[in-house]
Amino acid sequence: MSDARIEHVNITVTDPRRSADLMHDLFGWDVRWQGASQLGGETIHVGSETDYLALYTNEATQAADPRFSKGKPLNHVGVVVDDLDAVERKVIAAGLEPFSHGDYEPGRRFYFFDWNGIEFEVVSYA
């Protein structure tokens, strides 16, 4: 058995603050760090003490630069929650649309796209 784990995933978004606020509202995640990126632009790290999403943007991203196209090759980001129904209500309240509900082993799930076209899978094993 390996001790390896995913520490973070870095995704490009148009508005890191808006995305961080959504992650906080949906999952209770807090901002761990925010500031200038080494490559220019801004980054906000939002998550838990042990893992997080790095939400990155720069002027080219905000101008829809094709170098930062969304969804390729990323398929989705999976997040485990205790109360799937409560999170789905929050997704809807944020103006986003849940889809592809599934109730099969090993858990219940649904998906949604954020404002950046990034797909999230929300799953509960409870």
Side-chain angles (χ1 to χ4, degrees):
M1 181 68 110
S2 171
D3 289 338
R5 65 179 178 80
I6 295 175
E7 186 231 5
H8 77 274
V9 174
N10 186 315
I11 58 178
T12 301
V13 299
T14 54
D15 184 341
R17 171 53 51 200
R18 183 179 190 195
S19 294
D21 288 347
L22 179 65
M23 297 299 106
H24 176 77
D25 291 346
L26 297 181
F27 309 125
W29 293 348
D30 293 317
V31 172
R32 297 168 31 125
W33 179 86
Q34 59 186 352
S37 171
Q38 293 177 339
L39 302 175
E42 301 176 56
T43 301
I44 296 178
H45 295 177
V46 61
S48 72
E49 292 180 15
T50 57
D51 43 57
Y52 61 95
L53 290 180
L55 307 170
Y56 170 75
T57 198
N58 67 26
E59 289 180 16
T61 302
Q62 294 172 349
D65 187 313
R67 292 177 298 165
F68 297 100
S69 63
K70 312 290 185 290
K72 297 177 185 176
L74 178 71
N75 289 319
H76 63 257
V77 175
V79 180
V80 177
V81 300
D82 290 329
D83 190 339
L84 190 70
D85 297 326
V87 173
E88 183 171 12
R89 286 190 296 273
K90 292 176 184 179
V91 167
I92 293 167
L96 303 169
E97 185 176 339
F99 64 93
S100 290
H101 294 78
D103 188 359
Y104 52 86
E105 289 299 324
R108 294 177 53 225
R109 69 201 75 240
F110 71 87
Y111 298 78
F112 72 92
F113 285 99
D114 75 356
W115 304 287
N116 302 286
I118 298 167
E119 184 178 69
F120 286 84
E121 175 184 2
V122 184
V123 63
S124 176
Y125 301 116

